[in-house]
Amino acid sequence: MIPFDYHRATDVEDAVRTATSRPDATYLAGGTNLVDHLRLGITSPSLLVDVSRLPFDDIDPLPDGGVRVGAGVRNSDLAAHPTIRRDYPMLAAALLAGASWQLRNLATTGGNLLQRTRCAYFQNPATPCNKREPGSGCSALAGWQRHHAILGASEHCVAVHPSDMAVPLAALDATVRLTGAHGDRGVPLTAFHRLPGDEPRRDTVLEHGELITAVDLPRLPPTTRSAYRKVRDRASYAFALVSVAAALTVTDGVVRDVRIALGGVAHKPWRATRAEETLRGADARPASFRAAAEAELAEAEPLPGSAFKTTMAREALVSVLTGLAEEGAR
Amino acid sequence: MEAEIRLRVDGTTHTLRVDTRTSLLDALRDRLGNTSPKKGCDHGQCGSCTVLLDGRRITSCLALAVSHDGAEVTTADGLAPGDTLHPVQRAFLDQDAFQCGYCTPGQVCSVVGMLAEATDGRPSHVTGELTGPVQLTDEEIRERLSGNLCRCGAYVNIVAAVRQTLAEEAP
């Protein structure tokens, strides 16, 4: 590990000023991804600005009925919070499906969004990777592709975003609250992460020195039912091959509203807008759900080693929506 | 860069200067001579370095010591005073819940943390009703301990050790 300076931020202004002042400074919160990357040599900042003691550990109601989740709230505490369990079950379920209890006790809301891909080539400094070392090439294109993208990839990068938590947040239309040298802004979660294009080095739209302070969840109608399904290679403690977050509102057998996002399939949590458009106003029946899933996945461009994921995503989506519709009809 | 930090470990307060790169695990083992947390993978994947940080189980290999200045750390070595055994340690012996023993201090700390989470009513990935009470079935125990690997494969008896602890705690 390359030596680095360490600064414990005293307040938000101090954190932003200190991080902005050095081009290769980075923020430290839970450290579950960053410390591993320091050790692997994937990143080598000269300064860590520790934001883990800033007062971002509250979960508060918003005036419009939504909820503001502080960036420092630990994944375990967010999953256990009574409001999240009652009103946003797909978010609680996604958190509980990710990592292990030990990691969730350290990992934060902000850090979860900023975790980097688990692509085996990105994580191995001995192999070419355009995300880690721009211009070096993409090893996955002729390599092991089981955990790679089927949607929105480019010739430069086929990595997927590893977060479970971010998938329901994308479906919910959550907003990421940021503060930086040029002030505060809110970015829709669906616009926070990037597709790789020709600049796979950049995972998000964050500017250098910008800090996540909170994530805002909009209110969901009480009649909405939501669920998270994760498909993986073992029963626990593994990253998703495919995951589905869906929230469904049905009245008199007709889909009034639906929000869907897929995980494990793209460089960002994939909001399934085509499936949603297909479903709004349709009968809440398995045939409609299948048509919606097929509409979404029509543009999938898997690699030979990830081709199974197109079928897996379709079936997972049909299964989750059918389950939600049946639950609502009971 | 170095920094001076204070850690309270198993009831004793220590003040030490550490390189900022030092993990909490290395500080415990190499600086304070507490070798009960083990270095398995050093990547947060195996759980053998599990300790209780301010009462919550964490992987100490992924925690930078400098970031946890002032923390209260409990290792398997400090779960019970002197030569007495914590009920979870006793249950691991009674149920033959280990072979080589390398993962055991992490397993034991993880079980202690897990029991507190369950008492607190925290659901897991396999809990059917997220807002309901938590019943520690075998399936729940396995899911809640999935962050601790045992390459000897003592899992069956580890579940039995947790069941013994639960039976002893029952009123």
Side-chain angles (χ1 to χ4, degrees), chain A residues 1 3-6 8 32 35-36 39-40 50 53 76-77 85 96 101-103 105 232 236-237, chain B residues 1 20-21 42-45 50 56-57 61-62 66-67 69 110 117 121-123 125 130 143 146 148:
Chain A
M1 209 186 290
F4 51 78
D5 294 332
Y6 171 87
R8 184 176 300 141
T32 54
V35 173
D36 194 30
R39 197 166 281 144
L40 288 165
D50 188 344
R53 300 190 192 202
S76 55
D77 294 328
R85 282 196 260 167
L96 293 171
W101 287 77
Q102 289 99 314
L103 294 173
N105 276 339
R232 46 185 158 176
S236 183
Y237 202 14
Chain B
M1 181 186 172
T20 50
R21 294 171 289 181
D42 216 19
H43 291 293
Q45 296 172 359
T50 301
R56 292 151 60 109
R57 52 176 166 159
C61 72
L62 292 184
V66 65
S67 181
D69 178 22
S110 196
E117 290 153 4
R122 296 187 169 220
H125 171 63
L130 288 176
E143 163 61 24
S146 69
N148 291 83

Side-chain angles (χ1 to χ4, degrees), chain B residues 35-162:
Chain B
T35 53
S36 75
K38 299 292 187 281
K39 186 179 282 190
C41 67
D42 216 19
H43 291 293
Q45 296 172 359
C46 76
S48 69
C49 66
T50 301
V51 299
L52 301 173
L53 179 72
D54 299 321
R56 292 151 60 109
R57 52 176 166 159
I58 60 131
T59 43
S60 60
C61 72
L62 292 184
L64 289 180
V66 65
S67 181
H68 296 283
D69 178 22
E72 170 107 29
V73 179
T74 305
T75 71
D77 193 36
L79 284 172
D83 288 338
T84 56
L85 292 177
H86 185 280
V88 173
Q89 293 170 321
R90 179 85 255 160
F92 267 65
L93 282 174
D94 290 347
Q95 298 297 331
D96 199 14
F98 53 86
Q99 290 178 45
C100 83
Y102 196 79
C103 73
T104 311
Q107 298 273 6
V108 167
C109 284
S110 196
V111 171
V112 172
M114 182 265 271
L115 293 173
E117 290 153 4
T119 302
D120 195 29
R122 296 187 169 220
S124 83
H125 171 63
V126 300
T127 310
E129 188 60 53
L130 288 176
T131 52
V134 171
Q135 292 292 331
L136 284 182
T137 60
D138 287 2
E139 185 189 20
E140 284 276 3
I141 294 167
R142 285 193 289 265
E143 163 61 24
R144 288 165 189 265
L145 293 178
S146 69
N148 291 83
L149 304 189
C150 170
R151 293 297 76 164
C152 301
Y155 297 114
V156 173
N157 291 357
I158 291 170
V159 174
V162 176

Side-chain angles (χ1 to χ4, degrees), chain A residues 8-9 57 64 66 68 117 140 159 183 199 207 262 301 307:
Chain A
R8 184 176 300 141
D57 44 11
D64 64 358
R68 173 161 293 175
T117 185
E199 204 181 0
E207 302 290 342
L262 302 174
E301 290 183 300

Side-chain angles (χ1 to χ4, degrees), chain A residues 41-82:
Chain A
I42 291 173
T43 185
S44 48
S46 70
L47 170 66
L48 296 194
V49 179
D50 188 344
V51 294
S52 65
R53 300 190 192 202
L54 296 183
F56 295 145
D57 44 11
D58 289 326
I59 300 172
D60 294 316
L62 288 168
D64 64 358
V67 175
R68 173 161 293 175
V69 179
V73 173
R74 307 287 163 167
N75 288 177
S76 55
D77 294 328
L78 184 56
H81 196 274

